[in-house]
Amino acid sequence: MKATAKRTLTPRAVVLATAAAVALIGGTGAATAFADDDGGPAPQSSVQLSHNERHLDDTAKDRAQVKADKISQSQATAKALQAVPGTATSAELDNDDRNGSLVWEAEVFGKDHKNHEVIIDAGSGKALSQHTDRDDDAAQDAAETQALLKTDNTGHDNATDQALKAVPGTVVSYSLDDNADRNGSLIWEVDVLGKDHKSHDVTIDAASGKILNQHVDHDDNDSQGDNDGDDGDDD
């Protein structure tokens, strides 16, 4: 997935630093810890990308991931919310560089008023792990998330629906962002792999649900066109 400069409500680096605090999903079986590519155990998904696929340029990698993915972002979000009841603030289709395991990484503000990350197997839809933000600033981060969610009138479902109306295709990520580096407004940022086989970034006003901006991602040198087959539709 492409790197962005946005500051999401639950910074991934903070959440992933707590991989040792993995909880059991539903109280049955041992959960598999997910950590970033700097160390720690890799996720064990039922779907993997090949070595070549996981090192493609951004848009080509999006195509490979969408082709291998078996569940939509809405299904992945629903599974995450089963594991942690609350409000989803982001989800991203991503893979581990070491073993190619393809997963959905979902961030949820739980009914316990804490930030959680849930890792969903992109093949089976099973929750592989769930961990709570236990960083020193976790309480402050959670309070900020709660305050911002009070101003969100759109929600992830409506945001992704709006994005897909603007760009038919498949959602590969979405996130609620306080847009602090720009004008401070609350927005939903949705990445869509379009039916044109290009990656699109769609920005949606969280208060009104209106689309503020939409552009094609040109941050890589990918020139692959229509030879990857049908990417399908998201739901």
Side-chain angles (χ1 to χ4, degrees), residues 77-177:
T77 300
K79 291 291 186 181
L81 291 173
Q82 286 179 7
V84 181
T87 303
T89 58
S90 75
E92 180 182 12
L93 182 63
D94 202 0
N95 74 279
D96 188 279
D97 286 341
R98 293 162 294 177
N99 65 8
S101 283
L102 190 63
V103 297
W104 282 94
E105 303 169 18
E107 293 180 356
V108 177
F109 181 70
K111 291 185 177 180
D112 59 359
H113 303 289
K114 296 179 181 179
N115 289 317
H116 302 258
E117 182 171 77
V118 186
I119 306 302
I120 303 296
D121 188 317
S124 67
K126 293 181 179 179
L128 298 178
S129 73
Q130 177 261 313
H131 46 270
T132 305
D133 182 5
R134 300 180 187 275
D135 187 82
D136 291 341
D137 297 326
Q140 180 180 346
D141 290 343
E144 292 176 357
T145 302
Q146 185 174 23
L148 290 169
L149 283 172
K150 289 181 179 179
T151 68
D152 174 36
N153 298 321
T154 302
H156 62 87
D157 279 338
N158 289 331
T160 52
D161 284 348
Q162 286 290 88
L164 289 171
K165 288 178 182 178
V167 183
T170 302
V171 172
V172 294
S173 74
Y174 67 80
S175 64
L176 184 62
D177 186 0

Side-chain angles (χ1 to χ4, degrees), residues 33-57:
F34 179 85
D36 61 15
D37 294 330
D38 294 330
Q44 297 297 323
S45 171
S46 62
V47 178
Q48 289 85 33
L49 296 188
S50 69
H51 176 79
N52 289 337
E53 287 174 329
R54 66 189 88 150
H55 295 293
L56 291 169
D57 288 332

Side-chain angles (χ1 to χ4, degrees), residues 214-231:
Q214 178 229 315
H215 64 272
V216 176
D217 179 27
H218 293 294
D219 65 354
D220 60 36
N221 297 319
D222 175 69
S223 60
Q224 177 72 21
D226 297 332
N227 296 326
D228 291 319
D230 185 13
D231 293 314

Side-chain angles (χ1 to χ4, degrees), residues 178-189:
D178 64 0
N179 205 15
D181 294 334
R182 284 159 282 184
N183 59 16
S185 62
L186 190 64
I187 59 173
W188 284 95
E189 295 193 348

